[in-house]
Amino acid sequence: MSDPKERAWLDWMNNNSEMARKYGSLLPQQQQLLLTVYREIHNSRTVHSLAAPPASGKTHVIKLLCKYFKSNSFSVCVVIPNNFLRAEYSDLPDIPVLTINQYLGTGTQFDYVLIDEAHNLKSSLELTPSLVKTVFVDSSSDIYAYLESRLLPIGQNYVAKQLSYVTSRDLLRLFRGHQPLREILRDVLRNSTTWQCFVYGRLGLFEIKFAPADYICRIQKARRAMLLFSASPLSGHEISFYCGIPENEIGQSRRMMQPTWKSHVMHFSVIDQLDPKGKFRLLSKILGKLECRTLVLFNNSFTCQAALKSLPKSYSKRIFHIASTERAKIYADYLARKNGKLLTASSAFWEGVTIPDLRLLIIPDPPYPRPTLLELREGRKVSLRLDVARRLVQGIGRIGRTSTSSGACVTFFSISEFVGSMPEKHVTALNSSKLVHELQRALNENLRRAP
Amino acid sequence: MEKPTYHANVFELKKSKPLDVYSYGARITPAVPKPVFVYRILGKIARNLTKQLATAAISDQGKIKILGIEIPQNLLLHSIDIEEFGTFNVELLQEGLREVGYADSPIEYTRLVNRIVDLSLAYLSDDFFKYSDVSPWIIERGEGYFDDAFRATVGIEDGRRYYRDLREFGGVPCLLLNREIELRSWKNLLNELKALAAWWSKVRGKPIDFYNPPDDFKKYVNFSISGKSADVIAYSSRSIRIKEVTWECRAKDPLLEGGKSPIQYHEEFGIKNLDENQPLVKWVFVAEDGKILERFHIPELLVVGHTFDDLSARILPSQISQVFDIVHPNCGDQQRKIFDVIKKIDSVLRGSLASVYPSILEFSVIPKEITQHTILPSKIELTFGNRDLSLEPPYGLNFYQKYGRTLKFAKPITGEVRTLVMGDSSHRKFVEQLQNEFEVRNDCKMNVELLQVDPHQIKPSQADLLITITNENSIIEYCKKTLQNKHGLIHQNVRPEHANEDSIPQIAMQLTLKLGGFPWFLKAPQSGYHLLTIYCYRNPTGLRSYFFMLMTPNGEVLIQSRAFDSDKILSFLRHVHQEAKKYERLIVITNFDDQAVYEYVAKDMEQDVAKFIVLRVSDDHLRMFKTFKPTPAPARRRRVVADVYPVEAYECAPQGVIAKASRDEFYVLTTISTKVRTYYRGCPTPLKVKVIQAKGEFDIDSVLRHILSLSLAAGTSGNGTRDPAPLYYLQKYAAYVIEYGEPENEQMLRRLFYV
């Protein structure tokens, strides 16, 4: 680094950082990220996709940038993919922190927009009802049989693909006869040629999505620069599709080296072939015996609800369930309680949200593959098996996010069937009868080892 | 992993017993004012009888034909109301009974079966209708796939129509049922024109008065509509070819015999409440005495057929994908819809025509598997200057991408090529890349001069090749008509939007062909016969022009004729004969159905050509499907990933497959499902190859494979073509002649100057 302006930029950041004051300087990854930001915002592009690996101190960098822009009289806001990240920015009182939906709704144009966990934009926008219309058809519906025969390939129990327009119109005709579905799809029915249709389906449940044909939304651009921070940065093509920004306006930074550290998380995999009731019984046993902050990740909301019902009523004070309403409040209550147990099927918790002091992660079933709309639209031959593995690794990654964290992760299925090998992680395969004892031992040991 | 089976949209006749046909004449009182009323009256009677007697009653050429049973005495007298014209009494008079069997009278039998299918859909079901009894098309009623907002914007709606006919497959008569999407005026042509005016106003940013529009709108309308075919929606009539839409005269103007207006004329037939001020459609037809006559029609009574190109000019880029899905549905969608309709026909006939179906006539509702009648796709080998290329099916798109940098064209251009390029400085890089590509592929030096001058200032002797980069039609026209046709200066135009790196290989190929070279040849064609292709172009008024071309077995063009109008057909055929007799073995390819011409050609060649086979290559409505067997979900422990298909269908058109329908009829599938962005869509139909005549023994398999491989012989783009190369070239030649006229320079006829 020979440019005096770059040096001055870093000096300002070091001088204004609490962390730098406490530890003497910013982390090398943070300095590298700040330099990248400096170079990016001084090129001609207006949108910048920046790589920032996990545990590289990205949140601190974003806060520092906010301070810098604010002190130079620029308007700035932080955009987060969901409300669960809001707590991390609670010490920025005079900077607007908006969820992606709030940002889409705001009419204000900021000088700088900083988007945290930008890879979550994809799922966040795909799940925004005003942008992507989604209808669920389960096996109790009278149109389910038609969907299964028409859309589910013979011999397969899962399907994810874009539908031809002819098929999507056939479905729309079908949905038109159902009042609730007709209401959801009002815009689509009115002007169907501007929408494209996708299906995620499995035996028992079909999710039909209608997304705008050209791009998901046209996001409000920043006056000076929009910075998208992510461990897996979005490509120009993805930003173009999801945010409606032309690719030639998007700058892309090089990937940074992943910081090396090893967490103290032990991994267990149950090798019994448990049926759903057996899994619920095992879950109930674990939640009853182990008192620590716990996250239970389900692969769908129906199973999550069923598991919740199967738990004894005496657990209710410790159990939190992220449902469709009051999500942020429930999450805040959960964080307020040291030994809370959170049950959810929300995709935000599968990838994205970092729960502080999480000690135990339970995954009863492997996740379903979930290729993005863009992947389906481009007809990429998505490997569903690899997609399951990717999501599973993401889910497992919710625990042990820092070098100081410790805990245990347990899957109620044989993990090696989905993920061939997990580098840096030793997985203990065991019977369900021994699980609770082993978990207790592991958590106690971790407690002793933890700094 | 997958075991393909092939099947087609043909449904075997499980029962095809001879049909007893009772024929009845009709005595109508009072006399009908116009002959067209006879058909309307008899049509009504036939429909009534069909329902009353549960058998097929058909109005056919002024008679009622009824299958299986005699009309009882009490149903021989009918009283038919024709709105506005009163009541007509009809007495049916039996004329005879005839047994019609498929073996003895295949054409008559086919006609009867077709009419039974028509009855089932168009008269015994409310979901379909026909524009005309003689038409092979049955139109599906109801809402299309375009939504209302879209229709209102583009003025075009999508319709589904079904073609029905009998075909023989493996010696068994089968019902062929094909589904096609047609694009047509939304409601009627007047409505479409109004939608077009609204769209025009929106695009131009200022409203226009539809009844007195500006000249540029009139010009645009005629650019979009003229030359198109229109159906009359108000009554049964043949379709017309539109010459022009004119605002000079209106529907209320006295343009017809006796000072009647078109509005008054139609009011006589009970068609009322038409817009009096609407513009009129001018159309032409050739009378029996050969005179070309001009007529007027009312847009409100017409619907015009459209193509995807017409539509794509009026839609947003984000809608193209969806609209493409409708216009070119994938094989799965096509198949599903065809099956739905065949099941409907079957159930309607079982319920309403019990005396005929299924006791005498019955067809399968399962598509015929044709695997045993097919020849599997084989590889096609091409030869270039310094290497050979072998293409396995599916032959794919843009195989030139496999070229490599060192590949030379099979017949390269040699020496110096003086080239003038008319473009601006922004095209310099493109021109340099083109020059480089052209020189790499050929053995020549391309001396390029980039100019910004009016083409009128160019002297033809200045150069061997002129490249223009423009969208100006007047410049292109001058270059083609004057510089190329009169002075022999080869011209290539590149649209500015295509003046980029992606277009360079294709343009280099076209330049090579225009200058007399060939990018590649077929390697060792299977039949080894020279190809004589006779092409007939039929213009919108019905007049015909004839062309022929001689090609070596490996795809090099030797001779191409000038255009001959149909009144000079004998002179044309003499030319054909003169050229044909130079060769001992010939495959004669034609694109038209004219028995007299066939016989003349065959008679001429009989004496001079040792072996020849005359083939008619045409489009048909048969579709072939290759059905995948989806792999069952793999065992969990095996590292196998289940297949994911890019569309929801498991069927595709099996490119390269040849199906033998009968002794002299074959189907060759030359094209692949169309590729848009990254997923394959569309469901192409094969070419029908019919053997008209042959002298000597032929291995028909090798002849058909030769025809198939010729679809990769046209060196224009590196893509396969639907038609075999000589037909494809002649189509382009005819289109060039129609647009720019014929070249005066004889040398030009030895080159593919029109590609």
Side-chain angles (χ1 to χ4, degrees):
Chain A
M1 182 183 59
S2 54
D3 188 340
K5 285 182 181 172
E6 287 183 359
R7 199 170 299 140
W9 159 270
L10 272 190
D11 286 346
W12 191 98
M13 296 295 169
N14 270 307
N15 294 338
N16 287 277
S17 162
E18 293 290 331
M19 184 189 270
R21 271 204 286 277
K22 192 172 171 186
Y23 298 106
S25 77
L26 291 164
L27 293 169
Q29 292 89 5
Q30 289 172 324
Q31 299 201 24
Q32 196 186 337
L33 183 56
L34 281 165
L35 269 181
T36 308
V37 169
Y38 180 85
R39 286 166 191 161
E40 283 292 324
I41 60 178
H42 284 88
N43 70 28
S44 60
R45 297 196 168 91
T46 52
V47 178
H48 310 276
S49 182
L50 302 157
S56 63
K58 163 174 51 86
T59 308
H60 187 69
V61 167
I62 293 173
K63 289 178 190 172
L64 267 179
L65 288 170
C66 286
K67 274 189 198 173
Y68 176 82
F69 294 135
K70 191 81 185 166
S71 67
N72 286 280
S73 305
F74 291 118
S75 60
V76 59
C77 81
V78 176
V79 176
I80 49 177
N82 50 57
N83 265 319
F84 306 121
L85 278 177
R86 189 175 292 280
E88 298 193 19
Y89 292 96
S90 53
D91 53 344
L92 283 179
D94 50 351
I95 304 285
V97 179
L98 310 170
T99 63
I100 181 67
N101 282 330
Q102 288 166 335
Y103 181 69
L104 289 175
T106 183
T108 316
Q109 192 177 22
F110 294 91
D111 292 325
Y112 288 95
V113 177
L114 312 179
I115 304 182
D116 194 6
E117 302 288 5
H119 61 275
N120 278 333
L121 270 179
K122 292 190 282 187
S123 55
S124 195
L125 291 171
E126 284 182 13
L127 292 169
T128 303
S130 60
L131 302 175
V132 178
K133 311 289 176 189
T134 307
V135 294
F136 293 92
V137 178
D138 66 17
S139 52
S140 65
S141 166
D142 54 349
I143 54 178
Y144 172 81
Y146 174 82
L147 294 187
E148 190 185 312
S149 68
R150 177 88 189 252
L151 302 179
L152 202 59
I154 304 158
Q156 289 183 31
N157 55 12
Y158 182 80
V159 62
K161 62 195 170 192
Q162 184 183 357
L163 299 180
S164 74
Y165 183 69
V166 172
T167 304
S168 74
R169 283 288 288 169
D170 287 348
L171 296 186
L172 282 173
R173 281 179 187 166
L174 207 63
F175 296 153
R176 190 179 283 169
H178 288 68
Q179 176 61 29
L181 302 185
R182 194 169 60 205
E183 196 52 39
I184 296 168
L185 299 173
R186 203 175 46 212
D187 293 345
V188 183
L189 287 165
R190 197 175 295 150
N191 208 345
S192 59
T193 45
T194 55
W195 298 80
Q196 289 184 335
C197 182
F198 303 85
V199 61
Y200 297 92
R202 58 175 191 270
L203 278 175
L205 182 70
F206 280 91
E207 187 181 343
I208 313 284
K209 283 182 173 285
F210 290 87
D214 37 10
Y215 43 76
I216 299 288
C217 70
R218 191 182 278 280
I219 206 164
Q220 167 89 290
K221 282 195 274 187
R223 258 194 293 270
R224 302 181 76 90
M226 178 179 267
L227 304 169
L228 289 86
F229 296 87
S230 174
S232 42
L234 299 179
S235 67
H237 195 43
E238 286 173 320
I239 296 172
S240 169
F241 173 67
Y242 283 97
C243 304
I245 297 168
E247 280 191 62
N248 59 6
E249 293 182 23
I250 301 164
Q252 222 85 63
S253 77
R254 279 183 301 172
R255 280 179 183 269
M256 289 165 66
M257 288 292 288
Q258 178 107 14
T260 52
W261 47 266
K262 198 173 176 181
S263 69
H264 303 289
V265 176
M266 298 190 73
H267 294 266
F268 298 94
S269 170
V270 176
I271 53 172
D272 301 5
Q273 297 282 332
L274 294 174
D275 61 9
K277 283 186 180 170
K279 286 179 181 175
F280 292 164
R281 275 197 297 273
L282 182 60
L283 179 66
S284 172
K285 200 169 158 187
I286 295 171
L287 297 183
K289 291 263 170 87
L290 299 177
E291 283 302 320
C292 57
R293 180 167 288 171
T294 304
L295 170 67
V296 188
L297 279 178
F298 289 93
N299 64 2
N300 71 82
S301 55
F302 295 101
T303 317
C304 183
Q305 293 277 5
L308 203 63
K309 280 182 189 164
S310 75
L311 294 176
K313 283 187 180 164
S314 55
Y315 289 13
S316 59
K317 284 185 182 171
R318 288 168 292 165
I319 298 293
F320 297 87
H321 171 225
I322 297 275
S324 54
T325 53
E326 295 192 316
R327 294 159 67 96
K329 184 182 175 302
I330 293 167
Y331 184 59
D333 292 347
Y334 163 68
L335 290 183
R337 207 181 157 106
K338 196 179 168 189
N339 298 332
K341 286 125 178 53
L342 181 68
L343 274 65
T344 184
S346 163
S347 60
F349 285 87
W350 274 98
E351 38 192 300
V353 175
T354 300
I355 299 174
D357 302 326
L358 182 67
R359 297 294 314 284
L360 179 59
L361 170 68
I362 301 170
I363 303 179
D365 293 297
Y368 287 104
R370 188 81 193 184
T372 62
L373 294 183
L374 180 61
E375 284 172 326
L376 298 182
R377 191 174 93 132
E378 296 191 331
R380 279 186 221 161
K381 199 161 181 171
V382 181
S383 163
L384 299 183
R385 186 189 169 84
L386 289 179
D387 202 49
V388 171
R390 184 191 66 77
R391 293 198 75 208
L392 189 55
V393 170
Q394 283 279 354
I396 290 170
R398 295 308 93 200
I399 193 162
R401 305 277 299 162
T402 65
S403 58
T404 57
S405 55
S406 66
C409 168
V410 55
T411 55
F412 289 179
F413 51 91
S414 176
I415 196 168
S416 59
E417 287 179 12
F418 299 93
V419 186
S421 65
M422 303 227 321
E424 308 290 324
K425 291 184 177 73
H426 173 71
V427 181
T428 306
L430 75 183
N431 279 321
S432 56
S433 55
K434 295 177 185 168
L435 180 65
V436 178
H437 174 70
E438 287 297 320
L439 277 175
Q440 271 173 334
R441 204 167 59 81
L443 290 171
N444 290 339
E445 195 177 309
N446 272 339
L447 266 184
R448 284 199 300 276
R449 198 191 293 161
Chain B
M1 187 156 145
E2 74 185 39
K3 189 180 173 193
T5 54
Y6 302 106
H7 51 263
N9 56 341
V10 290
F11 302 86
E12 203 170 299
L13 261 60
K14 292 197 286 189
K15 276 184 203 155
S16 53
K17 294 180 187 172
L19 300 164
D20 290 335
V21 182
Y22 291 88
S23 186
Y24 291 83
R27 187 186 295 148
I28 304 173
T29 51
V32 292
K34 285 182 186 287
V36 69
F37 284 97
V38 174
Y39 300 105
R40 284 176 71 179
I41 292 164
L42 294 190
K44 280 196 170 188
I45 294 173
R47 285 191 282 280
N48 292 342
L49 289 174
T50 297
K51 284 180 183 164
Q52 287 167 328
L53 301 176
T55 187
I58 298 158
S59 155
D60 187 25
Q61 297 172 341
K63 297 186 188 312
I64 294 283
K65 291 180 178 175
I66 192 150
L67 304 188
I69 52 172
E70 284 184 75
I71 302 177
Q73 285 297 323
N74 63 330
L75 292 175
L76 287 174
L77 292 174
H78 294 263
S79 191
I80 301 293
D81 277 335
I82 300 287
E83 209 177 326
E84 308 292 326
F85 291 94
T87 304
F88 294 89
N89 296 315
V90 184
E91 185 185 357
L92 298 178
L93 308 165
Q94 188 172 352
E95 291 184 345
L97 165 67
R98 197 174 153 229
E99 191 183 76
V100 180
Y102 181 75
D104 301 328
S105 336
I107 295 174
E108 176 73 359
Y109 193 86
T110 300
R111 229 149 52 87
L112 291 171
V113 173
N114 284 341
R115 294 297 289 143
I116 290 171
V117 173
D118 290 350
L119 278 178
S120 69
L121 291 180
Y123 305 123
L124 299 172
S125 152
D126 294 333
D127 302 337
F128 297 84
F129 70 96
K130 295 192 75 175
Y131 283 129
S132 151
D133 283 351
V134 292
S135 165
W137 296 103
I138 306 168
I139 320 288
E140 191 178 343
R141 285 185 205 278
E143 190 185 329
Y145 286 96
F146 293 169
D147 48 64
D148 284 347
F150 184 73
R151 284 183 211 143
T153 310
V154 298
I156 294 174
E157 66 180 340
D158 60 312
R160 286 84 53 223
R161 60 179 189 174
Y162 290 84
Y163 176 90
R164 85 294 177 268
D165 203 356
L166 286 196
R167 292 281 188 281
E168 211 173 284
F169 229 103
V172 181
C174 302
L175 174 67
L176 183 145
L177 189 69
N178 187 34
R179 175 179 186 263
E180 275 191 11
I181 302 299
E182 56 166 13
L183 296 173
R184 57 185 182 227
S185 312
W186 181 34
K187 295 180 183 169
N188 55 55
L189 178 58
L190 177 64
N191 196 49
E192 181 189 344
L193 294 176
K194 284 181 175 173
L196 212 53
W199 173 81
W200 183 266
S201 304
K202 197 174 164 188
V203 171
R204 293 291 167 108
K206 59 177 184 184
I208 60 171
D209 175 5
F210 172 72
Y211 293 98
N212 297 294
D215 285 346
D216 51 354
F217 176 72
K218 290 180 191 169
K219 202 172 160 188
Y220 177 75
V221 164
N222 280 302
F223 170 75
S224 313
I225 305 286
S226 60
K228 291 198 174 296
S229 160
D231 282 312
V232 183
I233 47 173
Y235 46 86
S236 182
S237 169
R238 289 188 185 277
S239 58
I240 63 167
R241 285 267 178 181
I242 295 177
K243 189 184 175 198
E244 187 189 347
V245 179
T246 176
W247 274 260
E248 301 305 317
C249 37
R250 307 298 168 114
K252 64 182 177 188
D253 293 347
L255 301 163
L256 308 181
E257 284 172 23
K260 280 185 199 166
S261 70
I263 290 261
Q264 287 166 332
Y265 173 80
H266 284 97
E267 275 175 354
E268 287 177 10
F269 293 88
I271 301 163
K272 292 185 173 176
N273 299 324
L274 298 172
D275 182 345
E276 289 188 339
N277 292 316
Q278 63 184 299
L280 288 174
V281 160
K282 219 182 258 184
W283 65 287
V284 288
F285 77 100
V286 184
E288 283 178 4
D289 58 2
K291 279 185 184 169
I292 296 175
L293 302 174
E294 219 166 58
R295 291 278 187 271
F296 291 98
H297 218 306
I298 295 181
E300 208 172 345
L301 301 176
L302 299 174
V303 285
V304 171
H306 283 285
T307 64
F308 183 66
D309 283 344
D310 302 338
L311 187 59
S312 59
R314 304 182 200 175
I315 60 180
L316 298 170
S318 62
Q319 291 173 310
I320 284 180
S321 171
Q322 288 88 316
V323 176
F324 193 96
D325 258 353
I326 296 166
V327 184
H328 299 289
N330 64 47
C331 290
D333 281 330
Q334 285 287 27
Q335 234 189 125
R336 242 188 320 271
K337 302 289 180 189
I338 290 170
F339 296 166
D340 287 348
V341 173
I342 195 81
K343 280 181 193 159
K344 185 173 182 85
I345 296 170
D346 181 71
S347 72
V348 169
L349 290 179
R350 274 176 205 282
S352 305
L353 289 187
S355 65
V356 178
Y357 196 94
S359 54
I360 297 172
L361 173 74
E362 186 186 12
F363 39 74
S364 169
V365 290
I366 298 167
K368 186 172 175 64
E369 190 184 326
I370 57 165
T371 315
Q372 71 273 28
H373 303 295
T374 52
I375 303 171
L376 291 179
S378 54
K379 66 180 177 186
I380 296 176
E381 290 184 286
L382 307 178
T383 181
F384 290 81
N386 51 357
R387 62 176 274 219
D388 295 340
L389 200 66
S390 179
L391 299 170
E392 296 284 345
Y395 305 114
L397 303 169
N398 297 335
F399 57 81
Y400 65 81
Q401 287 169 348
K402 295 180 185 172
Y403 276 3
R405 289 299 301 160
T406 56
L407 190 136
K408 291 278 181 191
F409 282 158
K411 186 180 174 187
I413 306 298
T414 54
E416 185 194 15
V417 181
R418 293 169 303 148
T419 309
L420 291 180
V421 181
M422 276 186 54
D424 55 45
S425 55
S426 67
H427 300 125
R428 189 170 296 282
K429 191 180 169 197
F430 165 74
V431 173
E432 280 169 11
Q433 287 173 329
L434 178 61
Q435 179 187 9
N436 185 32
E437 173 77 11
F438 189 78
E439 287 179 351
V440 165
R441 303 299 175 203
N442 293 286
D443 294 328
C444 66
K445 174 83 183 121
M446 194 182 207
N447 286 323
V448 179
E449 203 178 336
L450 185 63
L451 299 170
Q452 280 179 282
V453 291
D454 185 335
H456 294 85
Q457 294 170 7
I458 292 172
K459 290 179 186 166
S461 57
Q462 256 180 290
D464 305 311
L465 172 66
L466 170 65
I467 299 174
T468 52
I469 304 173
T470 182
N471 270 330
E472 276 294 323
N473 286 336
S474 58
I475 293 179
I476 299 169
E477 203 169 290
Y478 174 76
C479 293
K480 299 284 186 203
K481 282 185 174 173
T482 307
L483 297 178
Q484 183 159 280
N485 287 359
K486 279 192 181 168
H487 302 293
L489 174 59
I490 294 292
H491 171 248
Q492 170 77 45
N493 184 60
V494 182
R495 299 273 170 192
E497 60 271 25
H498 294 144
N500 55 41
E501 202 175 345
D502 294 343
S503 312
I504 284 172
Q506 182 175 343
I507 296 170
M509 287 178 221
Q510 291 180 1
L511 292 180
T512 304
L513 284 171
K514 286 183 174 185
L515 290 164
F518 281 85
W520 61 82
F521 293 127
L522 297 177
K523 189 184 176 191
Q526 305 232 0
S527 75
Y529 284 43
H530 276 72
L531 300 140
L532 169 65
T533 306
I534 306 172
Y535 178 76
C536 173
Y537 171 79
R538 195 174 166 194
N539 77 9
T541 59
L543 294 178
R544 295 172 182 225
S545 306
Y546 291 88
F547 301 80
F548 76 85
M549 171 183 276
L550 258 159
M551 187 182 256
T552 62
N554 61 0
E556 182 175 2
V557 176
L558 296 174
I559 296 165
Q560 51 196 354
S561 73
R562 290 190 174 280
F564 286 79
D565 288 339
S566 47
D567 56 350
K568 292 178 185 156
I569 182 75
L570 287 176
S571 166
F572 171 77
L573 291 170
R574 272 197 295 277
H575 273 78
V576 171
H577 180 220
Q578 271 176 8
E579 293 300 331
K581 68 184 182 186
K582 294 177 187 168
Y583 302 92
E584 289 197 341
R585 301 192 305 170
L586 277 177
I587 294 175
V588 183
I589 301 172
T590 63
N591 77 321
F592 54 93
D593 191 8
D594 190 331
Q595 196 58 35
V597 175
Y598 293 152
E599 282 179 18
Y600 200 95
V601 169
K603 192 181 156 199
D604 266 359
M605 293 202 301
E606 191 77 36
Q607 295 171 0
D608 302 318
V609 183
K611 281 177 83 174
F612 68 89
I613 182 167
V614 182
L615 304 173
R616 184 186 175 215
V617 175
S618 60
D619 291 336
D620 196 27
H621 300 278
L622 184 115
R623 289 183 193 276
M624 290 196 276
F625 302 108
K626 174 186 176 186
T627 303
F628 293 102
K629 298 281 183 210
T631 313
R636 279 187 162 190
R637 290 191 181 280
R638 284 175 57 201
R639 287 185 167 275
V640 179
V641 179
D643 274 331
V644 178
Y645 296 103
V647 288
E648 70 259 35
Y650 297 103
E651 296 84 15
C652 72
Q655 191 195 21
V657 160
I658 296 167
K660 295 179 176 182
S662 63
R663 196 178 59 81
D664 59 354
E665 274 188 7
F666 307 88
Y667 291 92
V668 182
L669 188 49
T670 53
T671 36
I672 193 166
S673 299
T674 315
K675 194 177 184 187
V676 174
R677 290 192 186 163
T678 53
Y679 28 93
Y680 294 88
R681 286 186 294 185
C683 187
T685 50
L687 293 175
K688 182 178 173 182
V689 179
K690 186 171 172 63
V691 179
I692 304 292
Q693 197 155 359
K695 181 188 170 192
E697 281 185 13
F698 279 87
D699 174 7
I700 192 68
D701 286 5
S702 64
V703 170
L704 293 168
R705 285 207 180 98
H706 195 174
I707 298 290
L708 171 68
S709 58
L710 282 167
S711 69
L712 284 175
T716 47
S717 67
N719 292 331
T721 56
R722 175 173 162 73
D723 287 317
L727 267 185
Y728 171 79
Y729 284 144
L730 286 177
Q731 277 170 19
K732 281 192 161 285
Y733 183 17
Y736 180 93
V737 171
I738 300 305
E739 194 161 2
Y740 303 115
E742 272 192 293
E744 293 171 14
N745 193 319
E746 283 293 328
Q747 286 298 316
M748 296 294 283
L749 291 177
R750 301 195 171 275
R751 293 171 174 181
L752 301 175
F753 59 91
Y754 43 80
V755 293

